[in-house]
């Protein structure tokens, strides 16, 4: 197989920055995007860029007191396009990028850093009220309605006496009508928890053995279909959310990348410089065979 027949990632534009970037998001329905992070001096920054004639133009730079960890446009309208952010001090802010001096909404959401944020009900995606979910190092997952000041509409936290695990990622899903909505949260110990916001209950939980880096439903505005979870050590899992087994949960498939060093060690001493795929080892793209859990093989 030629190298050009494999999927290619081509850099369109590159730009060096003088701060640590934690998140970036496209501004809906535009050629603009925002980057969020922190300067070396400990302050937060939001930069607004626009793609113009194959280059990036900095439109606005906004410096804030606390480093900014994550952001989303998911709960705003297409007309307003407000940016919701979580910072290192546990604050949830919503910014009008046209007038960013004072947030249009502000709440002390968590005791520690907000690691992840997601939104639903805005941008014409998902039925129901616009809501924001935040996940924090303090072990709590909270759902916020920007129309309601100070208090979350839902607070998912461990019962007293349980260990509080660091929540790394959150995602909305199942928002296909006015009543249904779920939140999925991933934690540093590999736990994945699915919270049903309609019944205010824990619907399902599992553990994938490595810290959960990211969670995403294939679409937020349909009945749950697929959920992708990525984890440390290059592993990812795809869950079929259409059918839930009463004891085994959801069927899933997972794959893990083999690092190049392992490939090189595996084929050391063959003498022909190949890795068994007709390519030099440097060009090999080896994947462990997918392993199936219950039910998926019969589909």
């Amino acid at each position: 197989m030629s190298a050009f027949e494999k999927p290619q990632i081509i850099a369109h534009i590159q730009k060096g920055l003088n701060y640590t970037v934690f998140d970036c998001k496209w501004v809906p329905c535009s050629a603009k995007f925002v980057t969020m992070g922190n300067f070396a001096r400990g302050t937060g920054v939001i930069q607004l860029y626009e793609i113009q004639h194959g280059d990036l133009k900095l439109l606005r730079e906004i410096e804030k007191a606390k480093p900014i960890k994550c952001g989303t446009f998911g709960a705003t309208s297409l007309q307003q396009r407000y940016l919701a952010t979580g910072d290192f001090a546990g604050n949830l802010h919503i910014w009008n990028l046209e007038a960013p001096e004072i947030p249009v909404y502000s709440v002390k959401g968590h005791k520690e850093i907000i690691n992840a944020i997601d939104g639903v009900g805005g941008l014409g995606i998902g039925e129901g009220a616009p809501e924001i979910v935040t996940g924090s190092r303090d072990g709590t997952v909270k759902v916020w309605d920007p129309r309601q000041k100070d208090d979350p509409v839902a607070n998912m936290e461990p019962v007293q006496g349980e260990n509080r695990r660091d929540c790394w990622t959150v995602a909305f899903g199942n928002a296909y009508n006015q009543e249904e909505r779920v939140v999925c949260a991933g934690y540093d110990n590999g736990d994945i928890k699915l919270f049903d916001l309609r019944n205010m209950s824990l619907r399902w939980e599992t553990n994938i053995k490595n810290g959960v880096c990211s969670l995403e439903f294939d679409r937020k505005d349909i009945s749950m279909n697929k959920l992708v979870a990525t984890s440390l050590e290059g592993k990812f899992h795809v869950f079929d959310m259409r059918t839930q087994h009463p004891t085994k949960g959801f069927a899933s498939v997972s794959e893990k990348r083999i690092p190049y060093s392992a490939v090189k060690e595996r084929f050391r001493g063959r003498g022909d410089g190949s890795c068994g795929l007709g390519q030099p080892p440097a060009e090999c793209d080896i994947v462990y065979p997918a392993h199936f859990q219950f039910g998926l093989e019969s589909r």
Side-chain angles (χ1 to χ4, degrees), residues 1-8 277-280 283 285:
M1 179 186 290
S2 167
F4 294 103
E5 293 176 352
K6 298 191 298 183
Q8 302 289 312
L277 297 179
Q279 304 169 9
E283 296 180 2
D285 190 14

Side-chain angles (χ1 to χ4, degrees), residues 16-22 34-40 43 45-47 49 61:
L17 300 176
N18 63 343
Y19 61 92
T20 302
V21 181
F22 292 120
V34 293
T35 59
M36 294 154 275
N38 76 291
F39 287 117
T43 57
V45 59
I46 301 173
Q47 286 187 333
Y49 287 93
E61 180 175 297

Side-chain angles (χ1 to χ4, degrees), residues 262-272 274-276 281 284 286:
V263 175
K264 188 175 181 180
E265 181 67 25
R266 175 181 296 180
F267 295 101
R268 178 176 292 175
R270 290 183 56 171
D272 59 0
S274 70
C275 64
C284 289
I286 308 297

Side-chain angles (χ1 to χ4, degrees), residues 194 203-205 224 240-247 249-250 294:
L194 185 69
R203 178 169 173 177
W204 167 73
E205 63 180 329
M224 287 191 299
D240 185 346
M241 309 298 287
R242 293 172 296 179
T243 305
Q244 183 174 1
H245 190 277
T247 58
F250 298 100
F294 82 95

Side-chain angles (χ1 to χ4, degrees), residues 10 17 97 106 113 116 137-138 142 172 187 206 213 218 226 240 244 264 274 284:
I10 300 173
L17 300 176
L97 296 177
S106 180
I113 180 177
R137 185 182 293 167
D138 64 15
K142 298 182 180 181
F172 275 116
Y187 299 83
T206 190
C213 300
D218 54 345
K226 296 293 188 297
D240 185 346
Q244 183 174 1
K264 188 175 181 180
S274 70
C284 289

Side-chain angles (χ1 to χ4, degrees), residues 186-197:
Y187 299 83
D188 65 334
N189 65 338
D191 283 347
I192 298 176
K193 298 179 185 290
L194 185 69
F195 301 101
D196 188 330
L197 297 183

Side-chain angles (χ1 to χ4, degrees), residues 202-215:
L202 177 63
R203 178 169 173 177
W204 167 73
E205 63 180 329
T206 190
N207 186 283
I208 59 174
K209 300 181 181 179
N210 289 303
V212 185
C213 300
S214 180
L215 291 168

